[in-house]
Amino acid sequence: MSGHTATQSAQPAQPTEATCAPSRAARELGLKRGEFDLAVHLGRIRTVPDETGTGARVAQAELDRLRGQPGFPEALHESVRVVGTTAGAALMEVSSARFTRLARLGLLIPVNFYLNRYRAVVWLYLAEELRQFAAGQENSALLRQRMPEGLRRKLDGGADLRPRNWRGRRLGFLLRQATDPWQRAGALAAFLDPVQIAEIVDDPYERSHLHRFRSDPPSHGAPGSPAAQLAERLMTADDPDEIAWLRSDLAQTLCEARDHRPAPRPTPHGTPLPSAPEGRTPCDELVPEELERTRGLLDRLLRRGSRPM
């Protein structure tokens, strides 16, 4: 009996679900790496954390699910096809100037960007979304007729919601990928400049811990290069209303993060020891009255682009 028990205890654990690296998953799905990353960003391809918890892998079952969908691989490829202003305008059968005006007004939302040889920002849009916008009867007047006076005044005043709308999409992606409050706080902090963060997080150990989870801007050029600096500026909120609700949500999320796992801090012997600063203001006192409004906006950002295939 004892020998049988020992044999049972020596049996290996059940193998974990088979996964593969993103590069291999992209090849198996017939996608370029940029297309694959965008599909993950949009929630079209589901990933799982890797062994370290800092990266991502794709389960074999997810590959099988995608390959089993109608129209694969063309439908998957088309769902992540992006176009610039000229191709987007042709797709919608409008002039490039009208397309740009619609985008500046926030009616066409960019999903990505790149910097051309002159370091000018070139915004990219999902072809699928442009077709849907052009097909909507409620948008016919915006495509074919003179812009309403109110919208023209906004354009004349310099309105350009493309950077903010792109940040909203990226924030939604980062929040969907987050698995705990510290990661969610890092996602929100990624869109605030260091001065804003220091005003909200006055404890240096908490700031250091938060920085571990603060996402970097998309890679454009070597660190410190003019292209990288421009990408960083695009990543940083600059609208007062946008900054206000980011600060509000960051303050609330930090309260949740402290309750979940206080930031580590050194003991007199140099060993890190989690503890929260004394006298910390309760969460309900940190949340502004407008939190419900900003949470509603954040919910809409999270829903945008998360539609599964």
Side-chain angles (χ1 to χ4, degrees), residues 214-236:
R214 190 171 182 259
S215 301
D216 293 325
S219 177
H220 288 278
S225 67
Q229 292 172 0
L230 177 56
E232 186 175 352
R233 286 200 299 272
L234 287 174
M235 186 84 166
T236 306

Side-chain angles (χ1 to χ4, degrees), residues 258-270:
R258 293 175 187 122
D259 292 340
H260 172 73
R261 185 181 66 250
R265 58 192 59 249
T267 65
H269 301 290

Side-chain angles (χ1 to χ4, degrees), residues 112-131:
N112 208 341
F113 71 89
Y114 69 90
L115 306 179
N116 64 17
R117 67 174 69 182
Y118 307 107
R119 291 201 290 271
V121 179
V122 178
W123 294 105
L124 299 173
Y125 306 82
L126 279 176
E128 179 183 66
E129 290 185 352
L130 300 183
R131 282 195 297 269

Side-chain angles (χ1 to χ4, degrees), residues 53-127:
T54 58
R57 294 180 67 82
V58 181
Q60 184 62 45
E62 177 68 357
L63 296 178
D64 295 341
R65 180 187 75 83
L66 292 164
R67 284 193 289 246
Q69 291 185 334
F72 178 85
E74 291 81 7
L76 177 61
H77 186 273
E78 185 61 22
S79 75
V80 293
R81 184 165 72 92
V82 296
V83 293
T85 296
T86 302
L91 187 64
M92 298 175 65
E93 299 182 351
V94 298
S95 68
S96 294
R98 183 174 290 258
F99 183 97
T100 299
R101 289 195 294 270
L102 293 171
R104 285 176 55 193
L105 289 166
L107 299 173
L108 306 176
I109 302 173
V111 72
N112 208 341
F113 71 89
Y114 69 90
L115 306 179
N116 64 17
R117 67 174 69 182
Y118 307 107
R119 291 201 290 271
V121 179
V122 178
W123 294 105
L124 299 173
Y125 306 82
L126 279 176

Side-chain angles (χ1 to χ4, degrees), residues 31-306:
L31 297 174
K32 298 176 182 178
R33 182 55 193 268
E35 294 172 330
F36 173 87
D37 291 341
L38 178 58
V40 173
H41 181 128
L42 296 170
R44 311 288 170 83
I45 298 175
R46 296 187 288 258
T47 62
V48 295
D50 63 9
E51 296 82 358
T52 66
T54 58
R57 294 180 67 82
V58 181
Q60 184 62 45
E62 177 68 357
L63 296 178
D64 295 341
R65 180 187 75 83
L66 292 164
R67 284 193 289 246
Q69 291 185 334
F72 178 85
E74 291 81 7
L76 177 61
H77 186 273
E78 185 61 22
S79 75
V80 293
R81 184 165 72 92
V82 296
V83 293
T85 296
T86 302
L91 187 64
M92 298 175 65
E93 299 182 351
V94 298
S95 68
S96 294
R98 183 174 290 258
F99 183 97
T100 299
R101 289 195 294 270
L102 293 171
R104 285 176 55 193
L105 289 166
L107 299 173
L108 306 176
I109 302 173
V111 72
N112 208 341
F113 71 89
Y114 69 90
L115 306 179
N116 64 17
R117 67 174 69 182
Y118 307 107
R119 291 201 290 271
V121 179
V122 178
W123 294 105
L124 299 173
Y125 306 82
L126 279 176
E128 179 183 66
E129 290 185 352
L130 300 183
R131 282 195 297 269
Q132 291 172 355
F133 186 93
Q137 289 297 319
E138 67 278 10
N139 301 322
S140 178
L142 290 170
L143 297 173
R144 310 292 173 219
Q145 300 176 18
R146 182 177 173 83
M147 282 279 182
E149 180 63 29
L151 296 183
R152 290 204 308 273
R153 282 199 300 268
K154 288 183 179 180
L155 291 170
D156 292 341
D160 188 353
L161 294 178
R162 290 174 295 182
R164 177 172 179 172
N165 281 337
W166 171 78
R167 287 192 292 269
R169 292 195 95 144
R170 184 161 180 83
L171 174 59
F173 164 67
L174 295 175
L175 290 176
R176 285 193 300 273
Q177 297 293 103
T179 58
D180 71 20
W182 279 109
Q183 291 183 8
R184 290 194 293 273
L188 293 161
F191 299 90
L192 292 169
D193 66 40
V195 174
Q196 300 280 348
I197 295 172
E199 290 177 355
I200 300 167
V201 193
D202 55 4
D203 181 84
Y205 298 110
E206 285 190 342
R207 280 202 305 274
S208 176
H209 192 58
L210 176 65
H211 186 73
R212 294 177 52 202
F213 304 100
R214 190 171 182 259
S215 301
D216 293 325
S219 177
H220 288 278
S225 67
Q229 292 172 0
L230 177 56
E232 186 175 352
R233 286 200 299 272
L234 287 174
M235 186 84 166
T236 306
D238 57 5
D239 181 89
D241 182 62
E242 181 186 11
I243 292 171
W245 69 257
L246 281 169
R247 286 173 59 105
S248 173
D249 264 26
L250 178 57
Q252 171 67 11
T253 306
L254 278 171
C255 285
E256 298 169 3
R258 293 175 187 122
D259 292 340
H260 172 73
R261 185 181 66 250
R265 58 192 59 249
T267 65
H269 301 290
T271 303
L273 177 67
S275 69
E278 296 181 1
R280 180 65 66 183
T281 305
C283 288
D284 56 358
E285 294 181 18
L286 281 173
V287 182
E289 294 178 357
E290 67 178 6
L291 180 60
E292 289 305 317
R293 178 179 67 83
T294 61
R295 283 216 180 274
L297 176 59
L298 190 56
D299 288 343
R300 292 196 294 275
L301 291 174
L302 283 168
R303 288 195 297 271
R304 180 184 297 155
S306 62

